[in-house]
Amino acid sequence: MSQSAGSQSTGHDRTGIDSMGMAAATVALPAQLEAALVAAEEVVGPAGSEPITNVVVLGMGGSGVAGDVISALAAPQMRVPVTVVKGYECPAFVGPHTLAIAVSFSGNTEETLETAAAAHDARASVVAVTSGGRLAELARHWGAPLYEVDGSIPMPRAAVGAISVAPLVALERAGLLSGVAGWVGATVAQLCARQDSTGAEVDSLDEIVSAIGNGEMLPVFYGGGALGVVAAGRAKAQINENAKIPAYASAMPELCHNELAGWDLAGRLIDGSPLAVIALRHDFEHPQIRRRYDFTRRVLDGARVAVPYAELRAGGDGAMAQLFDLIYQVDVLSLRIAAAARRDPGPIPLLTELKTYLASDDI
């Protein structure tokens, strides 16, 4: 069963539980991308005196996805390697020939602040992408290029367009990339086309959505190649944060070397499958990955308890358009699951509690 997420409605209006306007922010993604491009093009830099031989993207959570986007879209077009850093440690290779792009929507993410400071101390060329906070203060103090993100966006995960466009423009300004405006234009066109669709196809996922929302089943997202892997990771995180439900993500072809072997005994006959696989497909898959999906589908259908399988397929002209088309679709899906679970997709109280704990003196 192949599905596409149209968006006359994200589905969250079915319950009205959306205190922060996450559904509206999702629908506004095309406009967000356009506005981010305009804002980023007004920023000067980076323009360091040393040649750039490597790039690191520093970020966590909803902001850190920018690093994944850069790795999938920009890295294959660039002559220098890209490393995504999600943690407290700055790689030892970072130095005067490094372009370090620090991404934190709030500007106060402790891991990102620590790695950005370490990169600056190592004499890297630092670029900041943020709506404010301590990161903005540091960028101004360092004289580093500051790409400001719209702070009215309700949550970092809803700012995926803004936090992804700015680093792409920064790479272009550094002479490492070209054609970003065209990429964004094609992406906006595809998202608008997706939003103009009827939404009938995604409605056929209602049975899986209901089962996940009711706690009867958990989703496993499969993505192949660079674009699919980013989309699968995004899907997992969106289900976690929007619906407050566990979810899992795996990558093709790696899963065919291990995880696939575990499906034959999935679940008990009396219970049915506790999992559903949702594959995120695109036109840039290696031909052998397509064959691996076909084989995996047969395994799932033939398991002791057949595992539900569905696909979301990307459209659009170019890699960025197809990646963001998948991102949009899984965002819509996560909101529908949140609605089925009757969860407000905005607040994340447990993660807020963790930040408060980490900032305290408790041991």
Side-chain angles (χ1 to χ4, degrees):
M1 137 177 91
S2 176
Q3 321 297 343
S4 297
S7 68
Q8 291 285 339
S9 163
T10 63
H12 206 73
D13 57 349
R14 298 175 184 180
T15 67
I17 308 172
D18 187 3
S19 65
M20 300 181 72
M22 295 295 287
T26 298
V27 173
L29 182 57
Q32 182 187 126
L33 286 161
E34 290 181 314
L37 180 63
V38 171
E41 288 181 335
E42 295 178 353
V43 179
V44 177
S49 58
E50 301 287 352
I52 298 299
T53 60
N54 61 84
V55 174
V56 295
V57 186
L58 317 170
M60 303 297 301
S63 299
V65 72
D68 302 326
V69 171
I70 298 307
S71 182
L73 297 180
Q77 310 296 323
M78 292 163 49
R79 65 182 185 273
V80 302
V82 175
T83 301
V84 179
V85 177
K86 296 184 178 183
Y88 292 96
E89 294 80 21
C90 189
F93 65 76
V94 170
H97 299 285
T98 300
L99 175 60
I101 304 175
V103 185
S104 170
F105 179 79
S106 69
N108 295 315
T109 308
E110 65 177 40
E111 300 96 325
T112 307
L113 291 173
E114 190 162 328
T115 51
H120 175 262
D121 290 345
R123 298 174 53 219
S125 177
V126 178
V127 166
V129 179
T130 182
S131 67
R134 179 61 179 159
L135 182 58
E137 294 174 0
L138 288 173
R140 295 187 181 101
H141 177 69
W142 295 336
L146 174 59
Y147 290 78
E148 295 190 79
V149 177
D150 181 3
S152 69
I153 298 171
M155 294 293 279
R157 60 190 183 276
V160 61
I163 62 172
S164 298
V165 168
L168 290 172
V169 172
L171 291 169
E172 190 168 50
R173 290 288 173 80
L176 300 173
L177 197 63
S178 63
V180 172
W183 294 6
V184 174
T187 302
V188 170
Q190 173 58 27
L191 293 177
C192 290
R194 178 69 65 190
Q195 292 186 350
D196 287 340
S197 65
T198 63
E201 292 181 4
V202 74
D203 286 342
S204 64
L205 267 176
D206 276 355
E207 186 175 343
I208 290 177
V209 166
S210 178
I212 296 171
N214 290 334
E216 301 166 3
M217 190 177 289
L218 295 177
V220 180
F221 294 95
Y222 280 179
L227 305 186
V229 169
V230 175
R234 169 73 176 187
K236 172 199 174 297
Q238 289 295 87
I239 299 297
N240 295 156
E241 293 195 62
N242 285 345
K244 287 74 178 175
I245 289 173
Y248 306 92
S250 293
M252 286 279 190
E254 174 63 21
L255 71 88
C256 290
H257 292 262
N258 36 65
E259 185 170 315
L260 184 63
W263 281 116
D264 193 41
L265 297 178
R268 298 186 303 163
L269 290 173
I270 193 171
D271 295 331
S273 175
L275 302 167
V277 170
I278 302 173
L280 306 175
R281 308 295 304 275
H282 57 88
D283 294 341
F284 296 88
E285 295 168 353
H286 189 282
Q288 287 293 85
I289 286 183
R290 296 171 191 165
R291 297 185 69 201
R292 288 174 185 271
Y293 272 117
D294 292 340
F295 186 89
T296 298
R297 175 72 179 273
R298 294 202 300 270
V299 171
L300 296 175
D301 287 345
R304 185 158 61 102
V305 176
V307 179
Y309 177 91
E311 291 186 348
L312 295 173
R313 288 188 173 269
D317 182 12
M320 183 173 182
Q322 294 215 357
L323 174 56
F324 272 84
D325 190 30
L326 287 176
I327 286 173
Y328 179 82
Q329 292 184 66
V330 299
D331 285 5
V332 170
L333 180 66
S334 73
L335 291 172
R336 293 201 170 190
I337 290 172
R342 304 197 69 81
R343 304 277 174 81
D344 185 341
I348 41 176
L350 186 61
L351 301 188
T352 301
E353 180 183 345
L354 171 62
K355 291 177 182 179
T356 301
Y357 169 76
L358 291 173
S360 72
D361 294 329
D362 293 342
I363 297 177

